[in-house]
Every structure is written in C-alpha cells, then in structure tokens.
Amino acid sequence: MHVSWNDAVAYCEWAGRRLPTEAEWERASRGGREGNVYPWGNELMTDSGAWQCNIWQGTFPRVNTVDDGWLTTAPVETFSPNDFGLWQTVGNVWEWCSDWYSPRYYERSPRENPRGPDTGSARVLRGGSYLCHDSYCNRYRNSARSSNTPDSSMGNAGFRTVAL
C-alpha cells in the first residue's frame, strides 16, 4: 500500500472525511469489549487453533509459516469483524490516526476523549501489521501504540476514515 500520514490526510480531505483520533481508534477496535486484549477477546487464537488476525507466524524474522494463509496483506473480510462490525482492526496493516505521538501522553491526558498532544514530530499508528510477531513487537493488541513521521510510507500501513 505504501501510504503516509500525509497521503491519508489528503485522501480524507478529498473524500470529506477525517482520520480517527487515537482514542476513537481504540474504542472502535475494542468493539465494545472494554478491557480485552484483542477485539474478539483475550486469546490470540480460537479454541480450535485458528488465527483471528493476520500477523507473522513462525520464527521471526526468518520463517513465516503463513499459517493464517497470508504472507502480506489479507483482504479486508478475511477474519471476523468485531462487535461493532469493523473488520481487521488489529494485524494486517498499521493504521494512521490523527494525533501527534508522545510516548508518555496518557500519563497526563484527560480521561475522557483525549485528543493527543498539540505538536510533535511523529504521528500515531495503531493496530499492528502482518509483520508483527509475539516474540518481536506484539503490537496487534487494542492498546498497543506506535508512531512514524507523517511523510513516511510503509507497505504495512493503511488507514480508515470517520465522518466529519
């Protein structure tokens, strides 16, 4: 995909939409299941051993066994949606949020609907990607955060939009 934060914002302006704030993204990803590790619950795999998101399986970074069926990005409706009907909010691709990134922001942010710092050098990414592995980054959790500069594009990044 190779989309930067700047690209995502340009698309939003064209489409009359916007990127979600980091708080909106997390609430949407949780799908109403507050306190759960993943959108579907607390276990990475189903009781029958099936993957519930597109991440790296095998020995990172040498061997991806592709147990979930996907070496890179998976089609949007590959795994079950969360309880809000949103598909693949974790795994598959990192998702850009509107907020500036600060690693310690939540230590001093408002408890209700935090909007992120006023300035910064990097933007928030949420959700992890197909390159995440539990031995390496484990960022495909509802609460996990990352960041990158607004002009950086990655093949494992994307975005979703919300109405104005």
Side-chain angles (χ1 to χ4, degrees):
M1 188 169 208
H2 274 278
V3 63
S4 70
W5 184 88
N6 292 336
D7 296 331
V9 168
Y11 173 84
C12 288
E13 289 171 1
W14 173 83
R17 297 184 66 84
R18 66 179 176 81
L19 292 176
T21 66
E22 184 175 10
E24 289 170 332
W25 185 96
E26 185 169 334
R27 182 164 174 84
S29 181
R30 289 185 180 283
R33 295 181 178 219
E34 299 307 314
N36 283 351
V37 176
Y38 308 107
W40 54 85
N42 290 316
E43 299 301 322
L44 182 56
M45 300 176 79
T46 65
D47 290 340
S48 63
W51 291 94
Q52 299 188 85
C53 64
N54 182 18
I55 60 173
W56 187 287
Q57 302 92 42
T59 307
F60 189 84
R62 294 184 305 270
V63 177
N64 186 344
T65 58
V66 192
D67 291 342
D68 66 4
W70 303 98
L71 181 61
T72 61
T73 56
V76 172
E77 296 181 357
T78 300
F79 302 94
S80 297
N82 70 13
D83 290 350
F84 287 168
L86 300 174
W87 298 84
Q88 295 186 175
T89 57
V90 300
N92 215 30
V93 296
W94 286 100
E95 296 183 7
W96 289 107
C97 294
S98 61
D99 303 34
W100 288 107
Y101 178 80
S102 172
R104 302 177 71 92
Y105 175 71
Y106 284 110
E107 292 176 8
R108 60 187 178 281
S109 71
R111 294 237 356 116
E112 296 294 318
N113 202 20
R115 294 291 193 186
D118 292 332
T119 62
S121 60
R123 294 290 184 166
V124 172
L125 287 157
R126 298 294 296 261
S129 81
Y130 64 87
L131 291 174
C132 288
H133 185 272
D134 60 0
S135 71
Y136 177 65
C137 74
N138 193 19
R139 297 287 174 98
Y140 43 84
R141 298 168 287 118
N142 289 322
S143 63
R145 315 169 67 221
S146 192
S147 66
N148 208 337
T149 58
D151 59 347
S152 294
S153 71
M154 303 163 287
N156 61 332
F159 63 97
R160 59 183 76 224
T161 66
V162 296
L164 292 175

